[in-house]
Each structure stands twice: as structure tokens, then as C-alpha cells.
Amino acid sequence: MMLRALCRTGGALLQQTQRAAPRLWVTPAQQRWASSLPMNTVVLFVPQQESWVVERMGRFHRILEPGLNFLIPVLDRIGYVQNLKEMVIDVPEQSAVSLDNVTLQIDGVLYLRILDPYKASYGVEDPQYAVTQLAQTTMRSELGKLTLDKVFRERESLNSNIVQSINQASDEWGIRCLRYEIKDIYVPPRVKESMQMQVEAERKKRATVLESEGTREAAINIAEGHKQAQILASEGEKAEQINNASGEAQAVLAKAEAKSKAIRMLSDALTEQNGNAAASLSVAEQYVSAFSKLAKETNTILLPSSTGDISSMVTQAMTIYSSLAKTSTHVVEEKKSDDDDGNKPHQ
């Protein structure tokens, strides 16, 4: 009963003190805070994720932790209640001028959290209002560094730059900006039309470039095909010429070998008995064959004086053959004698 009476007395005194405070010294933010502040009932239960700032005789005393807490009536009062949850603040739409002098209308969403209840209570009058104004000014400053095209392409970097700028200033307020997101970017109608025309021009340009690249690749492919065809044709012609030359060479060698064998056989036949008679018979047959072909190909005929005397012609041919045979035999004997002299040891 005594504790309940003491609490009622303390609450009444606190309400009288608040009513007696001059209205000229209280700002709108303080009025908002005072209307939502809990009363000192000696025994207080602080909710989770909230921080209550206690003042003793108008001076900061301590911060109440979540759970059960005790305060001295009349002397202690709750000056501020800070919410430690992540808060979402809607940044109002505002106008900003880009680097290429285009006026844009931009709004955003700010996510922040109170890290230090003491700084948030005594470092700034209204933390949320201060952070909102800082976000607006920072956004205008960052947009002034970018052109219109980069604003749309670099929204992520723009958001991160705004967060860094806000955190540098809000550190003294005990507030941490977690992220900033741009919701909408409104472009003037004329600028939008010019952007649409630019997009169409870019698409036409890409189509023209792609078509020209396709034509170029087709021409290159056709040229490569002609080149390969010519190379293959030349290689085929080269192989044909090589084969023809090889065949002709083999034919010449075969004819030479056959002629060589025929000459050897003829030479062997002449060295046998009655070889001269056989040679005379062969010469006579060739003479008759050659004489029979006269006047078949041309009209001009040159005849020797003794055309009808076959025996004299054969005798003359055999005489030439005998003289050539003796000459070749003499050359062979001289060569053998030279070889024998070269093989003898020198004294």
C-alpha cells in the first residue's frame, strides 16, 4: 500500500512539473517526444529493442536496458525513448539537376538504425528529420556529378555513394545508414522523347552495323571459298603434272632399258657364228622397208645413185659397221692397258 501511494504521489508531482514548464522553451519535437514518453512509476518494464534515456534532475543519468528497472520518483524522469529496430524512412520527391543540365524528379527510401541512444538523444534535435534532409542534399549533390545516361546505368554506385556520405555526417548522431534505394526517377517529357529517339537511332545503328558485318563476313567467306578452290585446283594440276612427268620418265627409262637389252642381245648375236650374215640380212630388210615408204608422206624424194644395187648398199653398211666395231675394240683395249699401268706399283 505504501509503494502504491508513493507511485501515485510521484506521478502526480511529475505531471504538475510538466504542466508548469514554460511552453516557449518546448520545441515541436520535444512536444512529440514528451507525449509518447512513459511516466516514472518507480517500477518500469522496458520492451526489447528499445532504449529509455533517464535524466536525474534534468541531467543525463543512465540508459535503461530491456527488462525490469527501478527509478526514484520526482528525481528521475524518462527523457527519451529510442527504438533500436531498423527504420524505414520515405525520402520525399525532390528536383535535382544532372551534370548535363537535365532536371530530374527523384524520390527514395532510406534504411537506418540507431546505434548509440545517447548521441541520438543529445546529438541532434530530431534524428529522423536530420537524416532525411541529409539524404536529400546528398542525393542532389551526387546527381550533379553524373550525366543523365550514367544516372540510369550507375544507380547502384549512386546509392552506395549516398550511404557513405550520410554515414560520415550521421556518426555524431549515433545513427547508422544501412542502405539507400532510389525508387523512381521522373524525366521531363521532352527529354523522354529525345531519349526515345536516341534509343531508336542506336537500334538502327546496331542493325546497320550488324547487316554490314554480315555482308562483310559473307564476302570474306566467298573469297575464302574461291581461294581454297584455286589452291585445290592448283594442287590437283601440280599433282597431275608430277604424275605425268613421273610416267614419262618411267616410260623413257623403260624404253632405254628395252633398247639396252636389244643392243646387248644384238651384240651377243653378232659375236656368234654367222653373225655377220644375220646383220646383213637385217640391214637388207630395213633398206627394203625404208625404200617402200618413199613418196608416201612428201612429194620430194632424194635417191642415191645406186638405188637398185641392194648388194652394194648392204656391203657399204656392213663396212661401216666393221669399222665402228674395230674402233670401239681399239678404244676398249687402250682403256684396259691404261688401267693396268695405273694398277702397277711405282718403283
Side-chain angles (χ1 to χ4, degrees):
M1 296 294 292
M2 294 179 61
L3 180 60
R4 186 178 298 176
L6 184 60
C7 292
R8 291 178 179 177
T9 305
L13 292 175
L14 181 61
Q15 290 180 357
Q16 291 178 2
T17 304
Q18 292 178 351
R19 290 173 183 175
R23 291 296 179 181
L24 296 177
W25 296 350
V26 179
T27 61
Q30 290 176 342
Q31 291 180 4
R32 189 181 72 247
W33 285 108
S35 61
S36 60
L37 293 177
M39 295 178 56
N40 183 2
T41 58
V42 181
V43 180
L44 300 175
F45 298 95
V46 180
Q48 186 67 32
Q49 289 298 99
E50 283 191 7
S51 183
W52 293 4
V53 179
V54 178
E55 296 178 350
R56 177 166 291 179
M57 293 183 294
R59 184 177 180 180
F60 171 75
H61 176 57
R62 66 190 180 97
I63 297 175
L64 300 182
E65 299 295 334
L68 179 61
N69 292 272
F70 297 95
L71 295 180
I72 300 175
V74 181
L75 299 181
D76 296 338
R77 77 177 186 92
I78 301 171
Y80 299 94
V81 175
Q82 302 294 350
N83 188 358
L84 303 182
K85 298 178 182 179
E86 183 176 349
M87 294 179 288
V88 181
I89 300 176
D90 189 8
V91 180
E93 181 180 341
Q94 60 175 338
S95 62
V97 181
S98 62
L99 185 61
D100 48 356
N101 296 326
V102 178
T103 303
L104 305 175
Q105 298 291 330
I106 298 181
D107 56 357
V109 180
L110 184 64
Y111 300 85
L112 54 88
R113 176 179 293 172
I114 296 177
L115 301 180
D116 191 344
Y118 177 80
K119 291 183 179 180
S121 301
Y122 300 102
V124 64
E125 183 67 28
D126 191 344
Q128 296 183 4
Y129 178 76
V131 172
T132 303
Q133 295 299 316
L134 181 60
Q136 290 181 340
T137 55
T138 305
M139 185 167 55
R140 284 195 295 266
S141 176
E142 292 295 331
L143 284 175
K145 301 177 183 178
L146 301 175
T147 59
L148 180 61
D149 295 334
K150 290 186 178 180
V151 169
F152 292 98
R153 291 198 304 263
E154 301 181 2
R155 294 183 67 167
E156 293 184 0
S157 62
L158 180 62
N159 293 335
S160 62
N161 293 336
I162 293 174
V163 170
Q164 291 178 2
S165 301
I166 293 175
N167 287 331
Q168 290 178 359
S170 64
D171 185 57
E172 297 295 330
W173 303 338
I175 299 174
R176 180 72 177 177
C177 180
L178 301 179
R179 57 191 178 275
Y180 180 86
E181 298 293 339
I182 296 177
K183 289 198 302 183
D184 295 314
I185 300 177
Y186 302 97
V187 183
R190 292 184 179 179
V191 177
K192 188 179 294 185
E193 292 177 0
S194 62
M195 290 176 63
Q196 187 67 27
M197 294 174 62
Q198 182 180 0
V199 171
E200 293 178 359
E202 287 291 335
R203 290 177 180 175
K204 291 181 181 179
K205 176 183 176 182
R206 292 177 185 176
T208 305
V209 171
L210 291 175
E211 184 178 359
S212 63
E213 289 180 355
T215 305
R216 184 187 66 178
E217 291 181 359
I220 291 173
N221 292 334
I222 293 173
E224 287 289 338
H226 288 313
K227 177 182 176 181
Q228 293 294 331
Q230 292 179 357
I231 291 174
L232 293 175
S234 63
E235 290 180 352
E237 185 178 357
K238 176 182 176 182
E240 182 181 2
Q241 292 178 358
I242 291 173
N243 292 333
N244 293 333
S246 177
E248 292 177 358
Q250 291 179 1
V252 171
L253 290 176
K255 289 180 181 179
E257 289 179 358
K259 189 173 183 180
S260 175
K261 290 180 180 180
I263 291 173
R264 288 194 189 98
M265 293 176 66
L266 181 61
S267 176
D268 294 339
L270 291 175
T271 57
E272 294 179 356
Q273 188 177 4
N274 297 325
N276 292 329
S280 300
L281 178 60
S282 177
V283 171
E285 290 177 352
Q286 291 180 4
Y287 177 80
V288 173
S289 176
F291 189 79
S292 64
K293 293 180 181 180
L294 294 176
K296 287 185 178 181
E297 295 180 358
T298 60
N299 296 326
T300 303
I301 303 175
L302 297 177
L303 297 176
S305 59
S306 58
T307 305
D309 192 359
I310 299 176
S311 61
S312 62
M313 294 293 295
V314 172
T315 303
Q316 185 179 0
M318 294 302 297
T319 302
I320 295 172
Y321 168 75
S322 299
S323 62
L324 291 175
K326 291 179 180 180
T327 303
S328 60
T329 304
H330 181 67
V331 171
V332 171
E333 290 178 353
E334 288 182 353
K335 185 176 181 181
K336 291 176 67 177
S337 62
D338 292 338
D339 294 338
D340 293 339
D341 293 339
N343 294 328
K344 290 181 180 180
H346 295 283
Q347 297 180 354

